């Protein structure tokens, strides 16, 4: 079982970034927590502040060796058609995750251009959202 966990812009500064919204947990804490919770799963973490490397990471899910993708595109969620197209090309489930409840925030965050090509969206549950997404990929029907 191999799962990609792809994080977009500004998620590298989690812990320091708007802690009232995103909490004090760092991306490396999330990685450690997931690896501890799912020791038998090969979890591969990618993070980029740019669109291209996120698209390239999604392309790696095309080779047939990946069981699913957990994708938090950060602000790209709201306007990146290129990331949407890359996610649409992936045949295994892509689950969109947001730490914050994007629907309870600014108007522009209520639009996700990536969500329609994903299997589903988990938002507002912080780090638990990543865990739930991995569980859903492991227990696919
Ligand atoms: C986010 C929500 C986005 O609107 C924002 O731009 C982010 C983080 C989240 O995880 O809550 O960078 O994806």
């Amino acid at each position: 079982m191999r799962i990609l966990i792809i994080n977009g812009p500004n998620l590298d500064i989690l812990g320091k970034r708007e802690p009232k919204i995103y909490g004090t947990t760092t991306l490396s804490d999330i990685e450690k927590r997931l690896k501890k919770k799912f020791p038998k799963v090969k979890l591969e973490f990618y993070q980029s502040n740019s669109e291209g490397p996120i698209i390239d990471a999604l392309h790696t899910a095309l080779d047939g060796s990946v069981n699913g993708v957990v994708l938090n595109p950060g602000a790209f969620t709201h306007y990146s058609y290129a990331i949407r197209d890359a996610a649409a090309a992936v045949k295994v489930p892509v689950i969109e995750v947001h730490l914050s409840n994007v629907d309870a925030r600014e108007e522009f965050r209520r639009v996700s251009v990536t969500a329609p090509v994903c299997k589903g969206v988990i938002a507002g549950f912080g780090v638990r959202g990543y865990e739930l997404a991995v569980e859903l990929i492991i227990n696919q029907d």
Side-chain angles (χ1 to χ4, degrees):
M1 174 74 59
R2 184 172 165 232
I3 297 175
L4 308 185
I5 301 177
I6 304 175
N7 284 287
N10 298 308
L11 292 162
D12 56 328
I13 53 165
L14 270 183
K16 295 185 200 135
R17 174 193 184 193
E18 300 183 270
K20 283 201 178 114
I21 296 171
Y22 298 111
T24 50
T25 306
T26 66
L27 197 57
S28 140
D29 293 335
I30 295 178
E31 185 169 344
K32 281 187 210 132
R33 192 167 149 164
L34 288 176
K35 284 185 171 162
K36 199 172 167 197
K37 193 166 166 105
F38 303 102
K40 291 186 186 138
V41 181
K42 195 163 182 252
L43 296 171
E44 284 173 31
F45 283 77
Y46 294 86
Q47 189 279 328
S48 179
N49 292 324
S50 310
E51 223 171 0
I54 296 170
I55 293 164
D56 292 340
L58 283 163
H59 289 179
T60 66
L62 291 170
D63 71 1
S65 71
V66 171
N67 300 84
V69 178
V70 179
L71 174 66
N72 182 348
F76 284 138
T77 305
H78 314 299
Y79 64 94
S80 175
Y81 297 117
I83 290 175
R84 175 196 166 113
D85 284 352
V90 175
K91 289 182 191 77
V92 292
V94 178
I95 301 182
E96 181 168 314
V97 168
H98 299 286
L99 292 153
S100 64
N101 180 357
V102 279
D103 286 313
R105 299 179 61 195
E106 300 94 328
E107 192 70 38
F108 76 89
R109 293 187 208 275
R110 295 197 189 151
V111 174
S112 170
V113 300
T114 45
V117 300
C118 291
K119 176 98 177 156
V121 180
I122 302 168
F125 295 96
V127 185
R128 287 278 293 132
Y130 288 86
E131 293 179 0
L132 290 167
V134 170
E135 271 165 26
L136 286 164
I137 292 167
I138 294 170
N139 300 307
Q140 282 175 62
D141 33 50

